[in-house]
Amino acid sequence: MTTREMKVTERYLHLPVKNGAPLRRMRFLVEGSVEREFDIELAEGAPDFWVFSDLSAFEGKWLRVEAEGLPDGSDALAALRQAPSVPDADTIYRERYRPQFHFSPRRGWNNDPNGLVYHRGEYHLFFQHNPYGREWGNMHWGHAVSRDLVHWEELPVALYPRRYGDWVYSGSAVVDTRNTAGFQRGLEDALVAIYTSTGRGECIAYSTDRGHSFTEYPGNPVVRHRGRDPKVIWYAPGKHWVMAVYDEQGEGDALSKGIAFYTSPDLKVWKFASRVEGYYECPELFELPVDGNPENTRWVLHAADGDYTIGHFDGQRFVAESGKHRFCHSDCFYASQTFNNIPCEDGRRIQIAWARAGHPEMPFNQMMGFPVELTLRTTEEGIRLFAWPVREIETLYRARHAWDHLTIPEGSLSLDGVSGELLDLSLELDPGSSTAAGASVHGVPVTYDCVKRELSCLRWSAPLSPVNGRLRIRVLVDRLSLELYANDGRVYLPVCAVIPEGSQGVELFTRGGTAVATRVEIHELRSAWEPA
């Protein structure tokens, strides 16, 4: 065991990381008590990057750092340093492969969005987070807030593991406006996080300072079962809470994976209500009007892959009407969640997913998908879920380019003047006599195959048919992704791709004949990390 002691005089402790180095168990002890314990690829010599731990809770106290398994003569702990700011604070968000309008953490790994909730003018995004390295592990709840779903501020870690091995897995958050749990202090409604503790079960913690700090409920766990990832909503007709949670039963070949439903009057005492089979991880449950008609609604149930079932829910049981239906047509999407507590005057159902995009040269890994608004609409196949980028993307609009009725000869047609790296492109296309047509964006082709009736980008494709002889395709372009939406969101096809450095412009192309771009509109975007 190698140790080092120091008095906490600054907010942050910087820790050196070397990708691929042996994982070392590290502990922080304050006044003899283990406060944090985690694994880290601790650097010997020059690090690949620095991570950090917020020590503000221990200001003025003595900190003992312990690390297991370091070789004799190691100077790894000597390299630890305190500082008033996070590492490379002046260059964060300007790294070459940093997404510019998708959320990513300053350092470390992130995956599932957790606890999406709107509260007092802020959208809260909690997320699965390893603060100490680029790879999955050490699961905490990271935390970021935004007032417009585009510009995010990362806050300190919201939920730490109770102890090593008892990790904080996925879950949800609610605003207890009726004070059903009794956690309210003064006039401030309690924000309640519901999460999986891997060592105990489903647990809750509450905040009375708008999510800046959380207190664990002493009666945890509130539900014990084989499963994880609780999504909690308020069911107004029954005046109770509902938990939809991934649940396993049986063993081996008889293993059943599904979603269990529990109900509670107060978030603390839960009663099993029902279960449906055939779903895996990260449940989601919400109600939407069909074609915008509040008198005609359906409930949507899905799990981590996003494939959804449409049906009815009475507060205890879900009855399927149709599905499963495919929602997303790529792997740049997983474990999506929608926001609780969106104000009635807004009324949108807003979703964020884990986008599974990263780059090995960066000190962070993975990002969130761009927020989308979900709607239910009647189609020739029945009621289906549509996805469309939230309107707040317009806050990033910079230069605008537009063209009408462009004939695209066989081959390609460059769109002059488009020089931006970050783009919001809309294309209305009449395929004409072509066998394939589309747009090349920074050298990445977005192709409609007129014979197969498929929209594709790189190795991913989705079925798509013209409406009144035309296709409507929209593409959001960031440094690590292209997100495709077709025919007003009937098709959702986000693709993880490293965009080549420097703008290569936009070209329209056809094969096997000519086509007509009846309308092209491109907005160049500014970075969400730039000052307004």
Side-chain angles (χ1 to χ4, degrees):
M1 181 78 68
T2 306
T3 66
R4 179 183 170 187
E5 293 193 5
M6 63 185 79
K7 188 174 184 179
V8 178
T9 59
E10 301 286 0
R11 178 171 181 178
Y12 296 103
L13 181 65
H14 294 189
L15 302 100
V17 173
K18 186 72 174 179
N19 291 327
L23 279 173
R24 309 295 187 188
R25 181 82 58 83
M26 182 173 277
R27 299 180 193 88
F28 293 172
L29 290 84
V30 178
E31 298 179 349
S33 174
V34 177
E35 295 292 340
R36 292 172 194 169
E37 188 172 8
F38 51 90
D39 294 322
I40 184 172
E41 295 174 321
L42 200 59
E44 298 283 351
D48 288 328
F49 60 94
W50 295 82
V51 296
F52 60 90
S53 189
D54 189 335
L55 302 181
S56 55
F58 314 126
E59 183 179 2
K61 298 181 179 180
W62 281 92
L63 171 69
R64 177 183 173 92
V65 180
E66 299 181 349
E68 296 181 357
L70 291 179
D72 292 341
S74 170
D75 61 357
L77 291 192
L80 272 58
R81 60 193 189 210
Q82 296 187 57
S85 60
V86 300
D88 305 315
D90 294 338
T91 59
I92 289 179
Y93 308 122
R94 296 203 297 270
E95 303 98 332
R96 168 64 193 99
Y97 297 108
R98 172 75 67 174
Q100 294 296 287
F101 60 92
H102 293 74
F103 175 78
S104 57
R106 292 169 292 185
R107 288 290 188 273
W109 166 275
N110 79 271
N111 54 291
D112 303 0
N114 297 156
L116 300 191
V117 65
Y118 181 87
H119 183 45
R120 289 185 176 261
E122 292 182 320
Y123 297 92
H124 289 262
L125 165 62
F126 302 93
F127 53 94
Q128 290 286 278
H129 185 38
N130 177 6
Y132 305 111
R134 293 189 71 260
E135 303 306 320
W136 185 93
N138 299 317
M139 285 294 103
H140 298 55
W141 268 27
H143 188 196
V145 294
S146 174
R147 291 190 171 273
D148 63 2
L149 294 164
V150 174
H151 300 86
W152 294 94
E153 176 189 1
E154 187 174 351
L155 300 180
V157 166
L159 297 178
Y160 285 91
R162 186 176 66 144
R163 61 172 177 260
Y164 183 88
D166 186 0
W167 306 116
V168 187
Y169 271 19
S170 290
S172 52
V174 299
V175 181
D176 189 7
T177 56
R178 299 161 190 81
N179 196 28
T180 63
F183 296 143
Q184 183 174 326
R185 298 294 180 267
L187 299 178
E188 185 67 37
D189 292 331
L191 184 63
V192 182
I194 308 96
Y195 61 95
T196 299
S197 161
T198 60
R200 294 174 290 168
E202 314 310 340
C203 293
I204 62 175
Y206 63 93
S207 171
T208 56
D209 58 5
R210 306 186 188 185
H212 290 273
S213 65
F214 281 86
T215 300
E216 183 172 321
Y217 172 56
N220 281 333
V222 295
V223 173
R224 290 182 183 271
H225 71 127
R226 284 172 51 195
R228 56 187 178 273
D229 313 332
K231 175 61 190 275
V232 171
I233 63 172
W234 176 254
Y235 184 72
K239 298 181 180 179
H240 63 252
W241 299 99
V242 171
M243 178 190 294
V245 62
Y246 172 63
D247 183 77
E248 293 183 348
Q249 295 183 6
E251 302 289 344
D253 293 339
L255 178 65
S256 168
K257 301 177 180 180
I259 297 173
F261 299 97
Y262 291 79
T263 62
S264 172
D266 60 4
L267 295 167
K268 296 183 286 189
V269 178
W270 293 86
K271 180 181 178 182
F272 174 79
S274 65
R275 187 177 183 277
V276 293
E277 294 189 6
Y279 299 84
Y280 181 64
E281 294 189 329
C282 302
E284 178 61 282
L285 176 70
F286 54 87
E287 185 179 22
L288 280 175
V290 179
D291 302 321
N293 180 4
E295 302 301 318
N296 181 25
T297 67
R298 296 293 189 279
W299 285 81
V300 176
L301 179 69
H302 67 76
D305 63 3
D307 289 355
Y308 63 96
T309 302
I310 295 172
H312 302 272
F313 183 68
D314 65 1
Q316 298 194 51
R317 291 173 176 79
F318 181 86
V319 178
E321 181 179 287
S322 70
K324 294 180 178 179
H325 305 297
R326 177 62 56 86
F327 176 66
C328 176
H329 295 267
S330 76
D331 68 348
C332 192
F333 175 100
Y334 198 72
S336 68
Q337 192 169 114
T338 65
F339 279 89
N340 282 332
N341 206 47
I342 295 291
C344 294
E345 58 270 23
D346 182 318
R348 290 179 293 174
R349 176 61 56 175
I350 300 170
Q351 176 197 72
I352 295 180
W354 167 29
R356 288 176 157 175
H359 194 281
E361 296 179 16
M362 294 291 99
F364 62 92
N365 195 2
Q366 310 296 293
M367 70 178 194
M368 295 300 170
F370 191 75
V372 296
E373 179 183 359
L374 303 179
T375 54
L376 283 178
R377 305 186 192 184
T378 302
T379 74
E380 73 284 355
E381 295 180 320
I383 300 170
R384 295 293 185 268
L385 195 60
F386 283 56
W388 196 246
V390 295
R391 57 180 177 259
E392 286 84 352
I393 186 70
E394 297 172 9
T395 64
L396 301 180
Y397 281 0
R398 196 171 57 183
R400 174 181 175 272
H401 311 271
W403 298 264
D404 289 308
H405 300 289
L406 292 177
T407 298
I408 312 169
E410 185 167 357
S412 62
L413 174 67
S414 294
L415 298 179
D416 295 335
V418 180
S419 60
E421 177 187 25
L422 315 172
L423 302 173
D424 182 354
L425 178 152
S426 294
L427 168 65
E428 186 174 86
L429 181 67
D430 180 346
S433 63
S434 66
T435 57
S440 176
V441 184
H442 298 322
V444 181
V446 175
T447 305
Y448 181 68
D449 187 314
C450 306
V451 178
K452 294 181 179 179
R453 293 199 166 197
E454 283 185 347
L455 179 69
S456 66
C457 183
L458 301 179
R459 64 190 182 95
W460 300 104
S461 63
L464 181 66
S465 297
V467 177
N468 298 323
R470 296 180 179 179
L471 303 160
R472 292 184 297 278
I473 301 169
R474 186 174 180 183
V475 187
L476 298 186
V477 185
D478 204 345
R479 289 180 177 174
L480 296 181
S481 64
L482 291 87
E483 286 162 311
L484 280 59
Y485 311 83
N487 288 356
D488 304 317
R490 174 76 180 271
V491 166
Y492 178 36
L493 182 63
V495 175
C496 300
V498 177
I499 303 303
E501 187 169 5
S503 173
Q504 297 184 27
V506 177
E507 293 183 343
L508 305 181
F509 65 84
T510 65
R511 294 195 295 267
T514 62
V516 176
T518 55
R519 178 68 176 173
V520 183
E521 187 169 354
I522 299 176
H523 291 272
E524 297 181 23
L525 307 178
R526 67 174 58 87
S527 169
W529 307 115
E530 292 178 8

